[in-house]
Amino acid sequence: MVRKIVVVGVRYYEDPFYKHVTGSSGPPAGCGHQRNRSLDSVLQRIPEDMTPTSPQGAQLWLPLDAPGPRLALPAKVPAGSDDSGIHTPPDPNDEDRPQPPAAARSRESLDSGNPEETDKPPEPPDTLPTTSDISTAETSKNKDFLLRLFESKLFDMSMAISYLFNSKEPGVQMYLANKLFSFPHEDVDFYLPQLATMYIEMGDVADVLRPYLVHRCKQSAEFSLRLAWLLTAFGGDAKRSKATKLRDSILAEEIRPAARRGHHRSQSEARGHHRSQSDASALRVATPSGRHLGDLASGRAFDNGCLCGEQCSCGAPRLAPQTQFLTALTNIGRRLAGVADKQCRNGWLRAELADLDLNLPARVWLPLHKRPHHVLRIPYHAAAVLNSKDKAPYIMYVEVLETEGHEPLPPRLLPPAPPAPHSPPIRHTKSEENLVPEWPALSLYSGLDDADAGDCWSHEEEELGAQYAARAPAPDSVSQMSGMSVASAQSTSSCGSRESLAVGAGEVRRRLADATAAPPPNEFRHDPADPSALALKESWESKLARMRSSSQYGALSGWRLLGCIVKVGDDLRQELLAAQLLRRLRAAWAAERVPLRLRPYEIVCLDRECGLIQPVLNSVSLHQIKKQSGKSLRAWLELEHGPPNSEGFLRAQNNFVESAAAYALTSYLLQLKDRHNGNILLDSAGHIIHIDFGFIFSTSPKNLGFESSPFKLTQEFVEVMDGEGSDMFEYFKILILKGLIAARKHCEQIIHLVEIMRMGGQLACLRSSSAVSSFRARFHEGRTEPQLQALVERLVRDALHSLSTRLYDNYQYYTNGIL
């Protein structure tokens, strides 16, 4: 007969069988710390031929098929171990039991190492430990230290991404993938390009990352699209890879939140509830189907027909409206590139955006802006094509409504117009057919229009006029137009522009004052070759106030104005990596309290050749400053901020030095090329800002390697610093030295970003085998501070007297007209 002993936890358990066997009513002395010894004494007092009986003397019979309590086995039998040190045999029923969660399994793997090695029976005490035993013990000890690191407060997302990339043990990878759930979403999203690259290139990491990525995709439509875009941009040519399958599942909306029970309503119920609401609630009437998605002529190109609000239960597509919106923006850039005449591009751009604006408001958003919002309107008259030789990037401004996701969209409104005398009050319309599209209005700020391109603009206005005429308003909604008639909207002048007949007296006085007033000395003039200069020179505060006052949605509390640059035909993946590196450098300098000023901007890669760029507000390029004013850089700063001894100029000079030192060191570390004056901006506070990071590390324009200077430092820059030998020039060199020392302390967090992105060979700047090693060498980890000081002196001297910098500026002037 087999004897079975019940041992529960670490506390004494008064089992009737124990009391009957031992004859004792309490626990043996010291059983709380000597459970194995107490158990041995109990076993010794049990006769071998004893049949278990109950306390009342009745014989106990256990059915053969009933699972009994686990049996304590000798140490020679391979078995698991609980926290009490009592070995238990493997139970055949364990296969049917639920497995511990992944986090617990990964922690067990970190605690005990390889189970196949730790489950071996211990050696007899009289034998000496072998080399394998010592290595196993050291491995287990190292993993204990690793677990302590992973669970410490110092462990952050930067360390997690580094260990996930370097570790080859499945247990560690699983633990780190589960650890992602505990990090803030903002920290994980910063490393999303690296996570996407590892998902594409590392199959074992892809398996452990998938649960987290799927979980986030179900939570957020924006995260779903960002991940899909990155998988498209960095994905290879394999059609059935794991990354391709995940991307296709996201875009096909196979990964989406499950419908909430108790909240599901049929479309007919939702539609009836929507129609019963008051018209004063400003709910936008929508169809229950998305059959018009992508059709810009329908007026509902971005309407998926969902009436459920934030928690959708009707199965309407949640990603298709956003993809159609961004596709429409990028298609405009592709068509603009085919327009040979640069002066006609602005007219084409505004006509295209006016057509797109007919489909707004809609539940679409700009990925460059982090806070939740919906696009209300695109003021197409403020858009402009940027100066580019081959491509046609353009800047536009978008009116959005910041929302928490639960508020309904406002209806489409007409632009404000001066009310006619004794006009009846505006009433609400009750049907969707009475919602009048926005009529084309002449921009009150004609400086943004092309004076030399009247013929091109009038031709496009005729096409727009025909579209608007075809969608004439119903008779009962004419009162909304406040005196503006269809005939007045279609009347033309000799130069091809149109003017509304209803113009208030105050507007006439304002136009006369603007026409007669002398422009400020630092104001830019309209330049047909570079029409964006005038739009960019206007301060953001002035632009914001002007557009809000002229917008029909300006009275909404959540109204915001956002800027966006749409770029087609350029690879923005290197720009995305450079933006990450700039943010890491800025964080390192902030942690070490070094006053170096960088201004990285948001980059969104939609695929390998197009994307969105966040514009740098209140800034103009050095080329535009020199061309518009004809002055040197120092003279321009004096014109903007006052005489050299004024407080305004000294503050701007300090900002110039701190930002110039930051970008000089960044240019040296990243080996930034193509540094002409069109790619260097100056903001309204005096900060230098570099843009266009398309050539970094081992690449250069046309792969000539012409720019050999460590960074761009011209005599014009030194003149702003009061010349060589001045205090500000010495401060410039001290900042570079301090910035290099601070960046060297945090170099591992910076370098591993580049190491991960080098996988797959997708980025041209990292295809060289020495790209990463050369990048690490430029941090000079083995040099002392005096040696670094001598290095900085040499770098500044070489940059200031570089012949290649002057030759490259001359080359840009003669080929592209860049001053």
Side-chain angles (χ1 to χ4, degrees):
M1 178 65 66
V2 178
R3 295 187 296 273
K4 299 180 180 287
I5 303 301
V6 179
V7 178
V8 179
V10 299
R11 288 176 290 182
Y12 166 69
Y13 180 75
E14 187 174 1
D15 190 12
F17 176 64
Y18 172 88
K19 183 176 180 181
H20 173 69
V21 172
T22 61
S24 174
S25 60
C31 70
H33 299 281
Q34 299 177 1
R35 287 164 292 170
N36 291 342
R37 185 180 304 172
S38 300
L39 182 60
D40 293 339
S41 62
V42 171
L43 291 175
Q44 292 174 3
R45 298 179 60 179
I46 299 177
E48 294 182 0
D49 58 348
M50 178 179 177
T51 301
T53 59
S54 66
Q56 291 76 18
Q59 189 173 3
L60 295 178
W61 298 97
L62 297 176
L64 296 178
D65 55 349
R70 294 190 175 185
L71 180 65
L73 297 180
K76 294 182 179 180
V77 181
S81 175
D82 60 7
D83 60 348
S84 65
I86 300 177
H87 292 279
T88 57
D91 194 336
N93 296 319
D94 284 345
E95 298 179 356
D96 300 331
R97 296 180 182 176
Q99 296 295 326
R105 294 198 305 269
S106 61
R107 174 163 181 163
E108 290 172 2
S109 65
L110 286 173
D111 285 334
S112 58
N114 191 348
E116 297 179 358
E117 297 178 358
T118 58
D119 289 344
K120 294 180 180 180
E123 295 291 339
D126 55 348
T127 59
L128 295 176
T130 62
T131 305
S132 60
D133 296 332
I134 296 176
S135 61
T136 302
E138 291 178 352
T139 303
S140 178
K141 184 177 180 180
N142 291 336
K143 290 185 177 180
D144 289 340
F145 285 132
L146 193 61
L147 179 62
R148 290 175 59 186
L149 171 64
F150 291 167
E151 293 182 346
S152 67
K153 295 181 180 180
L154 298 177
F155 189 71
D156 57 2
M157 186 59 199
S158 174
M159 300 173 68
I161 202 75
S162 179
Y163 275 99
L164 188 61
F165 173 68
N166 293 312
S167 177
K168 303 302 179 183
E169 296 193 17
V172 176
Q173 293 175 348
M174 180 65 72
Y175 183 92
L176 292 172
N178 292 331
K179 189 74 173 177
L180 297 181
F181 288 91
S182 64
F183 290 121
H185 289 173
E186 297 79 9
D187 295 348
V188 180
D189 293 347
F190 176 82
Y191 292 96
L192 192 56
Q194 281 71 30
L195 292 175
T197 301
M198 288 192 290
Y199 195 94
I200 295 170
E201 303 295 339
M202 303 172 67
D204 53 344
V205 176
D207 293 334
V208 299
L209 284 178
R210 181 178 174 84
Y212 175 81
L213 297 178
V214 171
H215 171 74
R216 288 289 307 276
C217 288
K218 290 181 178 180
Q219 284 187 331
S220 170
E222 182 179 2
F223 182 87
S224 301
L225 287 176
R226 281 182 177 270
L227 178 59
W229 295 331
L230 289 173
L231 293 177
T232 301
F234 291 97
D237 299 328
K239 296 182 179 180
R240 300 308 301 168
S241 63
K242 295 179 181 179
T244 304
K245 292 179 181 178
L246 179 60
R247 181 201 61 193
D248 295 343
S249 298
I250 293 173
L251 296 180
E253 305 207 28
E254 298 173 2
I255 302 176
R256 58 182 300 155
R260 299 178 62 187
R261 296 183 179 180
H263 292 76
H264 180 75
R265 295 184 302 167
S266 63
Q267 293 181 358
S268 60
E269 293 174 346
R271 186 165 57 252
H273 176 71
H274 184 77
R275 289 180 176 177
S276 66
Q277 293 183 359
S278 171
D279 295 313
S281 63
L283 287 176
R284 185 171 185 259
V285 181
T287 57
S289 64
R291 62 179 181 272
H292 297 294
L293 278 174
D295 185 8
L296 295 178
S298 67
R300 296 179 181 172
F302 317 125
D303 187 0
N304 62 355
C306 177
L307 303 175
C308 304
E310 181 69 14
Q311 297 293 338
C312 178
S313 59
C314 64
R318 62 170 188 155
L319 304 181
Q322 180 68 13
T323 56
Q324 293 294 337
F325 176 65
L326 296 178
T327 299
L329 294 179
T330 54
N331 286 340
I332 292 175
R334 291 186 177 91
R335 288 191 289 267
L336 282 176
V339 180
D341 191 353
K342 290 186 178 182
Q343 299 185 21
C344 292
R345 285 180 176 179
N346 271 357
W348 281 98
L349 172 63
R350 292 163 185 167
E352 294 271 7
L353 291 178
D355 192 19
L356 188 148
D357 185 59
L358 295 176
N359 299 271
L360 300 174
R363 293 186 181 276
V364 294
W365 65 90
L366 280 180
L368 298 172
H369 191 53
K370 298 300 183 182
R371 299 191 62 179
H373 64 277
H374 297 140
V375 175
L376 296 175
R377 174 176 172 262
I378 298 178
Y380 50 86
H381 58 274
V385 180
L386 300 179
N387 188 22
S388 179
K389 182 179 180 180
D390 301 322
K391 311 296 189 305
Y394 64 92
I395 184 172
M396 67 174 187
Y397 301 95
V398 181
E399 297 178 18
V400 303
L401 180 66
E402 287 189 351
T403 174
E404 298 299 330
H406 305 283
E407 296 84 351
L409 282 173
R412 181 171 179 80
L413 302 176
L414 289 170
H422 309 292
S423 60
I426 296 177
R427 66 178 182 85
H428 292 282
T429 60
K430 293 186 177 181
S431 63
E432 179 188 0
E433 290 76 18
N434 293 336
L435 295 177
V436 185
E438 181 181 344
W439 293 79
L442 180 68
S443 171
L444 301 182
Y445 296 80
S446 58
L448 292 177
D449 297 329
D450 288 335
D452 300 334
D455 296 337
C456 298
W457 180 238
S458 63
H459 173 70
E460 287 142 11
E461 280 192 321
E462 291 172 2
E463 296 178 356
L464 289 175
Q467 296 178 10
Y468 295 132
R471 299 170 59 91
D476 63 345
S477 62
V478 175
S479 60
Q480 297 186 22
M481 301 179 61
S482 304
M484 185 176 68
S485 64
V486 177
S488 65
Q490 293 180 346
S491 62
T492 59
S493 63
S494 59
C495 63
S497 62
R498 295 170 176 81
E499 190 78 38
S500 174
L501 297 180
V503 179
E507 179 63 23
V508 173
R509 287 194 298 268
R510 190 194 61 77
R511 293 187 183 185
L512 289 175
D514 291 346
T516 57
N522 57 349
E523 189 69 23
F524 280 3
R525 303 176 305 276
H526 172 66
D527 184 8
D530 188 9
S532 63
L534 185 61
L536 296 176
K537 179 61 176 66
E538 183 184 14
S539 69
W540 180 252
E541 292 76 15
S542 173
K543 188 188 300 292
L544 188 67
R546 175 172 60 83
M547 289 192 175
R548 183 161 196 167
S549 63
S550 63
S551 173
Q552 59 268 38
Y553 304 102
L556 299 176
S557 60
W559 184 92
R560 299 291 184 271
L561 184 67
L562 304 178
C564 175
I565 296 176
V566 182
K567 205 168 186 180
V568 180
D570 286 329
D571 189 354
L572 296 183
R573 295 176 296 177
Q574 295 182 168
E575 293 256 7
L576 181 62
L577 175 60
Q580 283 186 298
L581 296 175
L582 261 64
R583 283 187 171 85
R584 292 307 309 174
L585 286 171
R586 185 177 64 175
W589 294 332
E592 302 299 328
R593 299 184 179 181
V594 180
L596 292 173
R597 312 300 178 193
L598 288 177
R599 194 170 174 181
Y601 44 85
E602 289 291 333
I603 302 287
V604 175
C605 291
L606 301 179
D607 56 34
R608 299 185 182 185
E609 62 171 7
C610 66
L612 307 179
I613 302 176
Q614 179 186 19
V616 181
L617 304 178
N618 294 328
S619 63
V620 290
S621 68
L622 300 185
H623 159 71
Q624 293 170 340
I625 291 175
K626 296 168 71 67
K627 185 175 183 180
Q628 290 281 341
S629 67
K631 300 178 180 296
S632 65
L633 189 55
R634 183 182 177 91
W636 173 261
L637 287 175
E638 293 178 1
L639 185 65
E640 285 267 302
H641 302 281
N645 294 328
S646 64
E647 182 180 355
F649 178 84
L650 294 178
R651 187 184 305 110
Q653 185 186 46
N654 185 78
N655 293 336
F656 181 90
V657 172
E658 292 178 351
S659 58
Y663 280 101
L665 181 55
T666 302
S667 299
Y668 168 69
L669 293 175
L670 272 61
Q671 292 293 286
L672 185 58
K673 307 300 180 185
D674 196 25
R675 295 301 88 197
H676 55 75
N677 287 338
N679 287 336
I680 303 177
L681 309 182
L682 183 70
D683 70 359
S684 57
H687 296 98
I688 282 288
I689 304 165
H690 285 241
I691 61 173
D692 193 356
F693 297 87
F695 299 98
I696 56 177
F697 296 127
S698 59
T699 58
S700 60
K702 302 184 184 300
N703 290 324
L704 296 177
F706 185 75
E707 298 170 89
S708 59
S709 175
F711 46 83
K712 183 166 186 176
L713 180 64
T714 64
Q715 290 292 342
E716 203 170 22
F717 284 17
V718 177
E719 183 184 2
V720 175
M721 303 177 195
D722 295 332
E724 295 185 58
S726 63
D727 292 341
M728 297 305 294
F729 189 72
E730 293 299 322
Y731 181 50
F732 172 76
K733 293 188 288 185
I734 291 174
L735 286 176
I736 295 179
L737 175 61
K738 290 185 175 181
L740 181 57
I741 295 174
R744 186 173 63 170
K745 292 176 60 176
H746 301 265
C747 66
E748 291 300 332
Q749 299 178 2
I750 302 172
I751 295 174
H752 78 257
L753 292 174
V754 181
E755 290 178 336
I756 297 174
M757 301 306 292
R758 189 175 179 271
M759 291 189 302
Q762 294 293 324
L763 298 181
C765 63
L766 298 177
R767 289 175 184 170
S768 173
S769 59
S770 61
V772 178
S773 59
S774 300
F775 182 43
R776 180 182 293 274
R778 284 191 290 274
F779 286 94
H780 303 283
E781 298 176 88
R783 295 201 180 193
T784 62
E785 291 193 12
Q787 291 175 335
L788 288 180
Q789 184 176 3
L791 172 68
V792 170
E793 292 284 348
R794 179 174 59 83
L795 293 177
V796 171
R797 183 175 60 254
D798 293 346
L800 182 58
H801 301 95
S802 174
L803 178 62
S804 63
T805 299
R806 295 194 295 270
L807 292 178
Y808 191 72
D809 286 342
N810 292 334
Y811 167 78
Q812 289 292 335
Y813 171 72
Y814 288 112
T815 57
N816 300 322
I818 298 177
L819 297 177

